[in-house]
Amino acid sequence: MATPPFEPQQFVKAMNELIVLATIGDSPVHGYQIALDVEERSGGMFTLQHGTLYPILHRLEGEGLIRGRWSSGSGRRRKVYAITAAGRRAVAVRELESREVFSRFFGVVGGGSGGAAKAG
Amino acid sequence: MRGQRAGPAETRRLIELIEHALDVAELTPGARDDLIAEMSGDVDDLYLLCRRRGDDDATALAKIEQRLIASPNALRELVALHRPLHVRLVDRMSGRERGGWEQWTPVAAVVPLLALAVRQLLVPGSFGTLALFGWLVLIVGLAAAATTLAAVRPRAPDDRRSPRLRSARTLVMGLAVAAPALALFGSAIGLYRAAGVLSSGDAVALPVLADWLATAGLLLTAGIACAFGIGFCWIALTSRMLRDGPAD
């Protein structure tokens, strides 16, 4: 079966979703905490800026990969998120897919640099 | 709820930004309140966390603005995820999510009905004593079409049509209700008259009832077809409103 063509925008979107999904654990966590965790775990390389976190969270919630619920403390409503069983399965599948993409990428790039070295 | 925030006063400006952005978006009140509550809760909590970690006020607010205040793109995406049911319907009907014959099938179903109703109206005597209501239904349909055309057409190159489209949509919605209501009212009057004739005992029952059935059926068909037609006007107006973006 032919491999579908690579679409960079879709890949970036899928990577952002995977990063968020992999960051959310079983215990409920606030949205802002997810953004901070992504930054801290990636050593500041990945940041979810300009509110891009919210469409990702709501999309994942719509797909049933995370579960959002409201908690109220000190008279204020707060939304927290936790991963679902489907979400954990999705992390595993998407991680494999990402590895496949990177494997092919380095297959191309590695071959290129080897060729350049030989040419030089 | 708004105006009863328990969060720090320093974040008020950022939360007002969020509220303003979501106020002009096409969202149900429930979805809007939930989004505002979620985002403003995160803004308040992140502010307190930043301050606890030693950031000064300006740095904390800058960090929040950079991370949590949605850009127009993020906001558009978020709003699209929470589109109310009627907006989803408009998206499907206006061809943004489907096209070709699917988009035109409902139009093709309604146009012949409307044409038939107009044709019958123009035949003398076909609506009998209910011709007045037939004409009223037709006038309502024409008024809706005229309102839609006037609202959709830009009056200047930089014309902001949104307020005009919004008020036209409200009027058109009222006309969509008025058309079948007039038809129903006319049919009821016809029935009342027929009952009067029958109770007087002057006429044979069957022709009077048959006449009422024919004219009332025609009138109701015209009213319902007109309401469907006006429904397409409403969809066209909503579609233009969404395409133009939120009103300023």
Side-chain angles (χ1 to χ4, degrees), chain A residues 32-98:
Chain A
Y32 78 93
Q33 190 61 56
I34 297 166
L36 293 181
D37 286 349
V38 167
E39 273 181 54
E40 283 169 10
R41 287 192 202 181
S42 67
M45 178 175 274
F46 301 128
T47 53
L48 296 161
Q49 293 191 338
H50 310 301
T52 48
L53 171 73
Y54 294 108
I56 295 172
L57 286 174
H58 288 232
R59 202 164 43 242
L60 292 174
E61 189 184 13
E63 291 169 11
L65 303 180
I66 59 174
R67 187 177 49 250
R69 71 174 172 82
W70 291 96
S71 67
S72 53
S74 59
R76 294 188 294 174
R77 287 202 304 152
R78 291 284 187 274
K79 195 165 187 186
V80 289
Y81 295 93
I83 196 164
T84 62
R88 276 190 290 273
R89 285 194 296 275
V91 169
V93 170
R94 292 182 186 197
E95 191 185 327
L96 278 176
E97 288 171 354
S98 307

Side-chain angles (χ1 to χ4, degrees), chain B residues 11 15 37 56 107 122-123 138 166 210:
Chain B
T11 57
I15 288 168
D56 61 31
V107 180
L122 294 174
V123 175
L138 188 65
R166 199 174 288 277

Side-chain angles (χ1 to χ4, degrees), chain A residues 5-46:
Chain A
F6 179 72
E7 292 182 28
Q9 279 188 328
Q10 285 299 317
F11 183 68
V12 170
K13 195 174 165 183
M15 289 298 286
N16 278 335
E17 286 186 3
L18 179 57
I19 287 170
V20 169
L21 206 49
T23 305
I24 301 174
D26 291 328
S27 47
V29 60
H30 293 98
Y32 78 93
Q33 190 61 56
I34 297 166
L36 293 181
D37 286 349
V38 167
E39 273 181 54
E40 283 169 10
R41 287 192 202 181
S42 67
M45 178 175 274
F46 301 128

